[in-house]
Amino acid sequence: MNNSEKKRMNGEAEEENEEDVEDEGRDAWERTYTDERSWEALEEDESGLLQPIDNKAIYHSQYRRRLQSLSATSAASRIQKGLIRFLCVVVDLSKAAGEMDFKPSRMAVIAKHVEAFIREFFDQNPLSQIGLVIIKDGVAQSLTELGGSPEAHIKALMVKLGCAGDSSLQNALELVHDTLHKIPSYGHREVLILYSALSTCDPGDIMETIQKCKKAKLRCSVIGLSAEMFVCKHLCQETGGSYMVALDEGHFKELLLEHAPPPPALAEFAIANLIKMGFPQRAAEGSIAICSCHREAKVGEGYICPRCKARVCELPTECRFCGLTLVSSPHLARSYHHLFPIEPFTEVSARQLELSRVASKTCFSCRESLLTPGAACTKCKQYFCLDCDIYIHESLHNCPGCESRRITPAAASATMS
């Protein structure tokens, strides 16, 4: 190595050290605004000065709009929802997923939000199942079979991350069709495609495959990360799904989570059916048996099928031997709120709250002061902050004010004694 190269390398090292020293010398708020695209987190106030965007207020407004639209749809007509869903999530991992218009890349953004979507899906649909399919090198590959374990799906996806080759939409549709057309009539067959590419490399006529999916009653929805494609729009129109293109990471997350709640059931599935279900008992501690899911011996884990006495790892699932649907009572209880959801609370401004006759200006749930706009239940007339409003409608599914009214004075005195 000559002297000029040594001097150049020493100079680069000194520049890096100077940058590190500058970062250490900045305050926390300064380092926040020196990040890339930091201007997107700023807005101009009424006086013309810059201030950080209140993401909490934006999230609350988006939630209120979504809740009002859902309530308006439900009020217009009585809609039957599909509570037992079989969803195939198709993730496009072609070379287009390596584009960096979504930071740090489309693939990283998809992986992060698919993980959150899987957890939210099973929270909203405890009786449903998910299967993962990836598209890479022009081939569709089944990553996980239909199952009810979120951890198994997430682990399998994180292991297979990596983009290469072209994308083939037809191969993906053929694979999900072979998987979902065997589903019983009471199950709602859905496909969610996260598509990054701007083209599809297919071995045959994709229009025939789309008609095959339509005949099998597959509801196909697509979320695009590039520009709009005619074939994706045609697929969604033919099968009754939705097609949207994400504008940025926040919009992509919002579009993805919209598919977590149960959608309105198709007319073909709106017929009432009786479904045989089994409530298995938990295996005794220390017992050794071969698991029918993984075909390996396990000690004291899993559940025993009440019909054939086979061992399964987790619920809900379908027994591999007798085909009985195995669930637990909490799964049915968690599905109840989809049938009778809580009515949206009425939004109350700070001025309205100030003029009200309520002596306590605190949230009925968390007891925090209502210094900001809140919401009021239409039945019990109790006031809640926006955070509790979101928690009640999206997680708790019961109004604390209405539930407290159901406690009779005799029951309350008995409880206190």
Side-chain angles (χ1 to χ4, degrees):
M1 182 181 296
N2 53 32
N3 294 331
S4 60
E5 292 180 352
K6 290 181 179 180
K7 291 179 180 179
R8 180 174 57 81
M9 293 182 65
N10 291 335
E12 292 177 354
E14 290 176 359
E15 291 178 358
E16 292 178 357
N17 292 334
E18 289 176 358
E19 292 177 356
D20 294 338
V21 171
E22 289 178 359
D23 289 338
E24 293 177 357
R26 294 192 183 100
D27 294 331
W29 66 271
E30 291 179 311
R31 290 196 298 271
T32 301
Y33 294 118
T34 54
D35 295 337
E36 189 175 4
R37 303 175 69 89
S38 60
W39 59 86
E40 294 183 352
L42 298 174
E43 65 178 356
E44 188 175 349
D45 60 7
E46 296 177 355
S47 60
L49 300 177
L50 294 178
Q51 63 179 5
I53 295 177
D54 188 359
N55 293 323
K56 191 174 183 179
I58 295 176
Y59 175 68
H60 285 158
S61 62
Q62 292 175 349
Y63 158 76
R64 298 296 304 179
R65 287 197 303 269
R66 183 171 71 253
L67 193 63
Q68 291 296 335
S69 63
L70 291 175
S71 62
T73 304
S74 301
S77 59
R78 295 181 61 87
I79 298 176
Q80 180 177 344
K81 293 186 176 181
L83 298 183
I84 303 180
R85 306 166 62 188
F86 294 87
L87 173 65
C88 279
V89 180
V90 181
V91 182
D92 179 11
L93 293 181
S94 62
K95 60 183 179 182
E99 295 292 334
M100 300 177 64
D101 49 354
F102 288 72
K103 299 297 181 181
S105 67
R106 294 180 184 175
M107 181 181 64
V109 171
I110 290 174
K112 180 176 70 172
H113 293 300
V114 165
E115 178 180 356
F117 169 75
I118 291 175
R119 299 187 189 279
E120 180 68 18
F121 178 86
F122 284 111
D123 181 68
Q124 296 278 342
N125 309 269
L127 300 180
S128 301
Q129 297 183 20
I130 278 183
L132 292 182
V133 175
I134 60 173
I135 310 174
K136 185 185 294 186
D137 292 322
V139 178
Q141 175 186 353
S142 179
L143 201 58
T144 59
E145 297 181 358
L146 290 171
S149 173
E151 300 299 332
H153 296 305
I154 293 171
K155 182 179 179 181
L157 178 62
M158 297 306 172
V159 170
K160 288 291 186 178
L161 282 181
C163 48
D166 297 324
S167 179
S168 177
L169 185 60
Q170 183 183 12
N171 287 336
L173 293 176
E174 290 285 353
L175 181 57
V176 297
H177 174 269
D178 295 340
T179 302
L180 294 178
H181 85 281
K182 306 173 185 177
I183 298 300
S185 59
Y186 61 79
H188 296 260
R189 308 162 186 173
E190 301 176 41
V191 182
L192 177 58
I193 304 174
L194 309 179
Y195 207 70
S196 299
L198 278 172
S199 60
T200 173
C201 183
D202 301 325
D205 188 359
I206 191 173
M207 296 301 174
E208 295 181 359
T209 306
I210 293 175
Q211 293 303 317
K212 185 191 299 185
C213 293
K214 180 181 179 181
K215 186 178 180 180
K217 299 181 178 61
L218 271 63
R219 187 203 300 265
C220 301
S221 300
V222 181
I223 299 178
L225 282 85
S226 300
E228 182 178 296
M229 292 178 58
F230 168 77
V231 66
C232 294
K233 188 173 183 179
H234 179 70
L235 168 66
C236 298
Q237 290 176 345
E238 289 293 313
T239 59
S242 62
Y243 178 44
M244 299 294 290
V245 177
L247 303 177
D248 51 30
E249 182 178 351
H251 189 216
F252 173 74
K253 178 183 178 181
E254 183 179 344
L255 293 176
L256 188 58
L257 292 180
E258 285 180 358
H259 294 272
L266 298 175
E268 293 82 357
F269 297 106
I271 303 173
N273 292 317
L274 295 177
I275 305 171
K276 290 184 178 181
M277 290 188 176
F279 297 88
Q281 294 181 348
R282 192 171 184 85
E285 296 183 5
S287 62
I288 302 176
I290 297 178
C291 170
S292 61
C293 307
H294 302 88
R295 298 179 181 178
E296 59 184 22
K298 292 191 176 182
V299 181
E301 294 183 4
Y303 304 86
I304 300 175
C305 175
R307 176 185 287 176
C308 64
K309 308 303 179 183
R311 180 77 68 90
V312 294
C313 287
E314 55 204 7
L315 302 176
T317 187
E318 185 176 300
C319 182
R320 298 293 182 93
F321 294 103
C322 63
L324 182 65
T325 302
L326 303 178
V327 298
S328 64
S329 54
H331 290 142
L332 293 179
R334 286 166 53 194
S335 300
Y336 180 80
H337 65 262
H338 292 304
L339 301 177
F340 304 98
I342 304 177
E343 294 183 6
F345 292 167
T346 304
E347 191 170 2
V348 180
S349 64
R351 180 62 177 171
Q352 291 174 334
L353 185 64
E354 185 178 336
L355 296 176
S356 65
R357 298 180 180 179
V358 181
S360 176
K361 308 294 184 181
T362 59
C363 172
F364 183 80
S365 180
C366 65
R367 294 304 180 184
E368 291 289 336
S369 298
L370 292 175
L371 302 177
T372 58
C377 177
T378 56
K379 294 182 179 179
C380 64
K381 307 302 180 183
Q382 297 292 348
Y383 290 91
F384 299 91
C385 64
L386 288 176
D387 288 331
C388 290
D389 180 17
I390 296 175
Y391 176 72
I392 289 170
H393 282 89
E394 295 189 350
S395 299
L396 190 60
H397 305 294
N398 287 293
C399 174
C402 298
E403 293 297 323
S404 63
R405 283 189 169 189
R406 296 179 182 178
I407 302 177
T408 61
S413 60
T415 303
M416 294 178 64
S417 62

